[in-house]
Amino acid sequence: MQDETARRELGSEFLPRFDAAGLITAVAIDAVSGRLLMLAHMDAEALATTRETGLAHFHSRSRGRLWMKGESSGHVLRVIEIRVDCDQDAIELRVDAAGPACHTLATSCFYRRLTAAGTLERVDD
């Protein structure tokens, strides 16, 4: 029988590896463009709810609870596909976004770049 690392890295079993706080990093990627939309965290409940509903759910560290992306704005993320990284400690959600992914109303939460001078500059790509 394979050890757990080999099962996780080479096998076909879904064995998500949550951190000490019970969280796993999740990134949302636009399924068509491939653009990185947001990064958040999921606990086991958020991951299960996402799989059950087809809508992205996360664990809010600031609120200490489950939340569905877009629950107040309507800008939900419909999950097209879930991918897992090699050691199953990060999740990639390929999504169809029903509006801006960022709470600032930017398409992506990654809408600024760090300049050589050490300041932030808005980008619109």
Side-chain angles (χ1 to χ4, degrees):
M1 180 187 229
Q2 296 176 319
D3 68 5
E4 188 170 339
T5 299
R7 285 177 45 219
R8 182 173 273 124
E9 293 180 1
L10 303 172
S12 60
E13 293 176 84
F14 184 48
L15 301 167
R17 192 162 56 104
F18 297 95
D19 68 14
L23 301 174
I24 192 167
T25 301
V27 293
I29 307 286
D30 184 282
V32 174
S33 71
R35 184 174 188 190
L36 175 60
L37 299 178
M38 63 177 285
L39 179 142
H41 297 88
M42 297 175 126
D43 58 12
E45 180 184 18
L47 183 53
T49 304
T50 297
R51 293 179 70 199
E52 290 167 14
T53 66
L55 297 173
H57 286 73
F58 302 100
H59 174 80
S60 171
R61 294 184 296 175
S62 61
R63 298 177 209 145
R65 68 170 180 85
L66 178 72
W67 66 280
M68 181 182 77
K69 172 63 181 137
E71 66 187 16
S72 59
S73 68
H75 301 155
V76 297
L77 299 175
R78 289 179 189 84
V79 178
I80 307 301
E81 181 178 41
I82 298 175
R83 294 191 181 193
V84 62
D85 77 334
C86 56
D87 58 356
Q88 297 197 46
D89 66 354
I91 299 289
E92 177 186 309
L93 303 175
R94 297 212 173 182
V95 302
D96 175 26
C102 186
H103 72 280
T104 67
L105 301 181
T107 302
S108 167
C109 291
F110 297 88
Y111 59 89
R112 296 176 293 178
R113 70 174 148 225
L114 182 61
T115 67
T119 59
L120 297 178
E121 174 180 79
R122 190 173 182 106
V123 291
D124 293 317
D125 58 348

